[in-house]
Amino acid sequence: GMGHAVYTLSDPRATILKRKAREFAYNNGFEKDFELLNSLETLTPEVLRNLGMSKEQSKAMSGALGSIVQEIANNDGEFTEEEMTDEIDAVDKIVSTVQAATDGDKSSNLFSSDPEDDSSRSGYTATELVDTVVNSKVVSSAINSSSKDEEGNAVENPYSISDKLTESDRDSAKTAIEEYYQENAGEGDNAELEETLGSLASIFGVQIELTK
């Protein structure tokens, strides 16, 4: 992983890679492409600041998007057009939820209490989000990956949003997760479902009891 958080200024590997990329670009007729990407790298932090996105928000969004992009690459070519539309919808829901949560404004709930109510920060009910995420191969795999470290140990608050939720949000998330399990768990091995619901619980900072 380039740009690991342990490097406060720059990842030395990225510095070397960028120098080599510049050499390759200028030796093979890709000067304009390189300079465009270099401008994006330089200007993006300022654009995000102008949009009001904090460093904390950027970190949370990076965590969400990084794992999702990896899962899309892993599943390239495996989805029908209809399935890909559903996957994109799931990605939109989880990313917009993370973004809405990180704005830090607890004057309104993250989740709606009713599907017809769009006054919440995310515009979704917790039930809608849980249903969409669990049924998405890309997003469920991504959040499972984000919720564990390289040794398989649980990561606390993987998207840095659990402390941004109201008590009502946590209650809604807990209820939605537990009800999904009660309604959808089969008679046999539910390990995959339990893993995904556990990852959602970790993201929202709630303790759940998965019982039929």
Side-chain angles (χ1 to χ4, degrees):
M2 294 294 184
H4 193 281
V6 71
Y7 303 109
T8 57
L9 296 178
S10 176
D11 184 333
R13 296 168 298 173
T15 302
I16 295 170
L17 183 62
K18 183 175 180 179
R19 184 171 68 246
K20 292 298 182 181
R22 181 190 293 274
E23 292 175 6
F24 176 85
Y26 274 78
N27 289 333
N28 292 276
F30 295 104
E31 300 95 329
K32 291 183 178 179
D33 301 83
F34 179 86
E35 293 304 333
L36 172 62
L37 294 173
N38 191 48
S39 296
L40 284 172
E41 178 190 20
T42 303
L43 296 173
T44 295
E46 182 179 353
V47 171
L48 292 178
R49 283 193 296 271
N50 290 340
L51 290 172
M53 183 172 285
S54 66
K55 183 176 181 180
E56 185 179 45
Q57 285 178 295
S58 298
K59 178 182 177 182
M61 293 300 294
S62 174
L65 288 171
S67 56
I68 287 171
V69 169
Q70 183 61 57
E71 288 304 323
I72 291 174
N74 291 343
N75 292 280
D76 183 39
E78 292 188 16
F79 299 117
T80 65
E81 184 175 344
E82 183 178 352
E83 288 171 337
M84 182 55 75
T85 299
D86 291 339
E87 292 293 332
I88 291 172
D89 179 56
V91 170
D92 176 66
K93 275 189 171 63
I94 190 67
V95 170
S96 61
T97 298
V98 171
Q99 183 176 15
T102 54
D103 69 10
D105 178 15
K106 290 187 178 181
S107 61
S108 61
N109 290 324
L110 178 65
F111 299 120
S112 303
S113 58
D114 184 277
E116 302 301 320
D117 176 19
D118 60 358
S119 62
S120 67
R121 284 182 281 159
S122 71
Y124 310 117
T125 66
T127 298
E128 287 177 309
L129 181 67
V130 171
D131 287 350
T132 303
V133 167
V134 174
N135 287 291
S136 164
K137 183 176 181 179
V138 166
V139 177
S140 60
S141 296
I143 66 169
N144 288 340
S145 174
S146 298
S147 299
K148 293 183 178 62
D149 62 20
E150 293 180 355
E151 297 177 351
N153 300 312
V155 174
E156 184 178 352
N157 196 13
Y159 288 169
S160 305
I161 66 170
S162 64
D163 58 335
K164 307 297 183 184
L165 275 60
T166 65
E167 285 303 315
S168 176
D169 288 327
R170 292 193 182 89
D171 289 342
S172 296
K174 174 181 171 66
T175 299
I177 292 169
E178 292 177 343
E179 286 183 348
Y180 188 95
Y181 187 81
Q182 291 168 4
E183 295 170 3
N184 295 277
E187 296 299 327
D189 185 5
N190 294 294
E192 186 174 337
L193 176 60
E194 291 171 2
E195 180 183 14
T196 299
L197 293 176
S199 296
L200 276 171
S202 176
I203 289 171
F204 297 128
V206 296
Q207 297 294 319
I208 56 173
E209 295 183 12
L210 300 180
T211 57
K212 284 289 288 180

